Amino acid sequence: MLEPLKVLNPATEEVVATVPAADAADVDRAVTRARTAQDAWATTTPADRARLLRRFADTVDQHLEELARLEVREAGHLIGNARWEAGNVRDLLLYAAGGAERLNGAQIPAPGGWNVTFHEPLGVVGVIAPWNFPMPIAAWGFAPALAAGNAVVLKPAETTPLTALRLAELALEAGLPEGIFQVLPGHGQVAGRALVEHEGVAKIVFTGSSRTGRDVMERCAAQMKRVTLELGGKSPNVVFADADLEAAADPFAFLDNSGQDCCARTRILVQESVYEEYTARLTEAVRAVVVGDPLDEKTQMGPLISRQQLDRVRDFVPDGADAIRGSAPAGPGFWFPPTVLTGERPDSRAAVEEIFGPVAVLLPFTDEQDAVRLANATPYGLSGSIWTRDLGRALRVSGAVEAGNLSVNSHSSVRYWTPFGGYKQSGLGRELGPDALTAFTETKNVFISTESTEA
Ligand code: NAD
């Protein structure tokens, strides 16, 4: 008997729920059901599939407040952010439904015939989600996968299974066929691994740490299984002297979701000539951040997800380290104050490794070349921001920084209608955007001869 999953409220440490953990036999049963359901789903008309996905979106919308409050309880997210996250699931479903209606192949002429290309669904897709944005990241996988005619088995993270389970109920309520979208809470090493290794699963969409991502990719390789990996980040916030320093000193570039954001701009690189002025602005802003009850609309930052994550973050910030510090409640709950480390070397552990908490490092640079060198000096390449009023420089630096999602004079990264993914150790493949559905298909080309067969 596997240890059940104990879901704690990160703001209070109260037990919210205890959820049975799936084992390999449960995964096998779910995949078998999914395969059966997928045969019929793949042959529904685009309009029928789109209609059901839109109904699913409407059902999510009708339960938006309930889903948001569940997200607050299991993940400690701010209520306003949690509402946005549930709304994001709805919007992803609507966007994917539109895609289902336009998933057409091509006709390509050739000497002596025609080529016809088809986008065929893969079959059963396994989605393995992390705890930091449980609802949206799961939907990045399941919405386009379903729209392209696949069945989905979703394994949420150990700490955040509740919103995923509720979404599965809402899918059935909306009329999605039984077995087409299943949620299996479980331990990564057991249920996650069983899903990755199951021969009936055609593709894995994994979002999580780079370490686990590597393991998933190796196991997929054994079966040549399709895989998309969205992994860690250590993104730069590059501030040139000519930038709007007030906007560039917004601490929510690294504090959103208590810093548990793969796109968090946690390496703040500031041009020497404005380093002092920038530091003063950032200090004021960090000290003003309101940390506390996630259900209070005035709160700006909530707790970390778990004690384990709190211990990990603490380990990067030794007592006495040079830092700008905000404040946080004492507990119960997994609280850590907004923190900017100011005495780090560019190659120190805190400056290079993903911390995944409300902690950034502040580093000076001399010129554009130095900024690009520092921006690229990590194994990651997910995101980043460039702050300057010089358009030419913004474009040059955007071209030189090795990352999949950059922003100029902004720290926003993710839109469901634009592609998202990482360079280097931040991942493999892209999600979202106009190509999201074709990532869940095989492209087949059929050549049809027009040669006369008459004698
Ligand atoms: P994690 O790698 O520990 O777990 C992610 C998921 O994988 C969980 O559901 C877990 O149960 C499962 N898992 C664990 N071991 C497994 C195994 N051997 N086989 C199959 N599945 C397994 O990551 P986490 O701590 O939950 O999430 C935080 C990480 O996710 C951070 O590194 C963050 O940067 C990353 N992340 C990346 C993106 C992105 O889009 N690039 C988005 C969000 C989070």
Side-chain angles (χ1 to χ4, degrees):
M1 171 81 177
L2 287 169
E3 198 189 328
L5 309 173
K6 204 199 268 183
V7 182
L8 296 184
N9 182 332
T12 62
E13 299 183 44
E14 282 160 0
V15 179
V16 177
T18 304
V19 177
D23 61 14
D26 296 319
V27 171
D28 185 49
R29 273 191 293 275
V31 174
T32 305
R33 278 179 81 205
R35 291 195 74 163
T36 308
Q38 194 263 337
D39 283 343
W41 182 242
T43 56
T44 51
T45 65
D48 282 345
R49 218 178 305 145
R51 193 175 302 121
L52 283 170
L53 291 172
R54 289 193 179 106
R55 254 194 243 152
F56 186 10
D58 287 346
T59 313
V60 168
D61 195 49
Q62 284 151 17
H63 294 80
L64 198 131
E65 188 64 22
E66 177 203 334
L67 285 165
R69 284 180 182 266
L70 202 52
E71 187 89 308
V72 174
R73 291 180 75 207
E74 73 172 346
H77 291 190
L78 302 184
I79 181 66
N81 292 0
R83 286 187 190 115
W84 179 89
E85 288 165 41
N88 191 246
V89 176
R90 172 202 59 212
D91 293 348
L92 275 156
L93 285 165
L94 292 174
Y95 184 69
E101 292 169 324
R102 289 186 295 278
L103 191 59
N104 301 316
Q107 300 78 41
I108 307 170
W114 278 87
N115 293 281
V116 183
T117 66
F118 300 86
H119 295 299
E120 297 178 344
L122 298 171
V124 179
V125 172
V127 177
I128 300 178
W131 46 258
N132 64 330
F133 291 107
M135 281 194 283
I137 290 179
W140 295 7
F142 73 68
L146 291 171
N150 302 280
V152 170
V153 178
L154 163 65
K155 197 211 79 67
E158 289 84 339
T159 42
T160 55
L162 301 182
T163 46
L165 286 167
R166 189 67 186 117
L167 285 171
E169 286 171 359
L170 296 178
L172 283 178
E173 213 175 298
L176 260 75
E178 292 263 351
I180 210 68
F181 175 48
Q182 299 174 73
V183 172
L184 279 189
H187 298 279
Q189 298 288 347
V190 181
R193 183 175 290 186
L195 196 57
V196 170
E197 291 183 339
H198 200 293
E199 293 198 344
V201 174
K203 174 167 180 164
I204 291 290
V205 181
F206 172 84
T207 307
S209 60
S210 297
R211 190 170 47 85
T212 312
R214 224 168 278 125
D215 179 72
V216 167
M217 188 170 174
E218 276 173 23
R219 288 172 201 279
C220 285
Q223 295 170 23
M224 210 57 85
K225 189 170 287 189
R226 277 64 181 136
V227 62
T228 299
L229 302 172
E230 298 288 1
L231 309 175
K234 187 76 182 176
S235 299
N237 207 25
V238 186
V239 184
F240 286 95
D242 68 339
D244 174 346
L245 293 188
E246 191 179 339
D250 179 356
F252 290 95
F254 72 94
L255 292 180
D256 261 345
N257 206 26
S258 309
Q260 303 166 121
D261 177 348
C262 51
C263 293
R265 275 69 166 159
T266 50
R267 286 184 313 129
I268 310 173
L269 313 178
V270 182
Q271 196 153 17
E272 267 172 357
S273 57
V274 292
Y275 186 83
E276 237 174 78
E277 183 188 345
Y278 181 89
T279 306
R281 285 177 188 272
L282 186 64
T283 304
E284 196 182 326
V286 163
R287 290 191 180 146
V289 173
V290 181
V291 183
D293 179 5
L295 281 169
D296 184 336
E297 308 269 355
K298 291 194 286 301
T299 300
Q300 295 174 299
M301 195 185 105
L304 294 172
I305 185 75
S306 61
R307 177 146 313 274
Q308 190 191 5
Q309 194 62 16
L310 179 60
D311 289 345
R312 178 180 158 76
V313 173
R314 278 189 182 140
D315 191 45
F316 281 93
V317 188
D319 288 343
D322 291 336
I324 303 164
R325 292 169 211 265
S327 55
F334 309 124
W335 304 99
F336 196 84
T339 304
V340 181
L341 294 165
T342 52
E344 296 295 312
R345 288 166 44 96
D347 59 354
S348 76
R349 201 174 142 242
V352 177
E353 286 184 28
E354 183 180 51
I355 300 174
F356 228 51
V359 181
V361 295
L362 187 60
L363 298 165
F365 68 83
T366 51
D367 56 15
E368 191 175 310
Q369 207 184 355
D370 194 32
V372 169
R373 183 186 60 77
L374 278 172
N376 288 334
T378 84
Y380 295 111
L382 189 58
S383 193
S385 292
I386 298 142
W387 298 85
T388 176
R389 290 189 168 97
D390 178 336
L391 180 59
R393 174 164 32 205
L395 291 173
R396 279 195 306 277
V397 177
S398 304
V401 173
E402 297 157 354
N405 296 83
L406 293 171
S407 325
V408 173
N409 298 328
S410 160
H411 57 75
S412 111
S413 305
V414 184
R415 283 163 201 81
Y416 60 81
W417 61 94
T418 58
F420 181 84
Y423 279 35
K424 303 196 282 189
Q425 308 241 343
S426 285
L428 187 77
R430 292 293 178 269
E431 293 188 276
L432 308 178
D435 299 328
L437 265 67
T438 44
F440 292 99
T441 64
E442 289 286 9
T443 303
K444 179 181 281 173
N445 188 72
V446 179
F447 174 72
I448 304 166
S449 171
T450 52
E451 299 291 328
S452 169
T453 51
E454 283 175 24

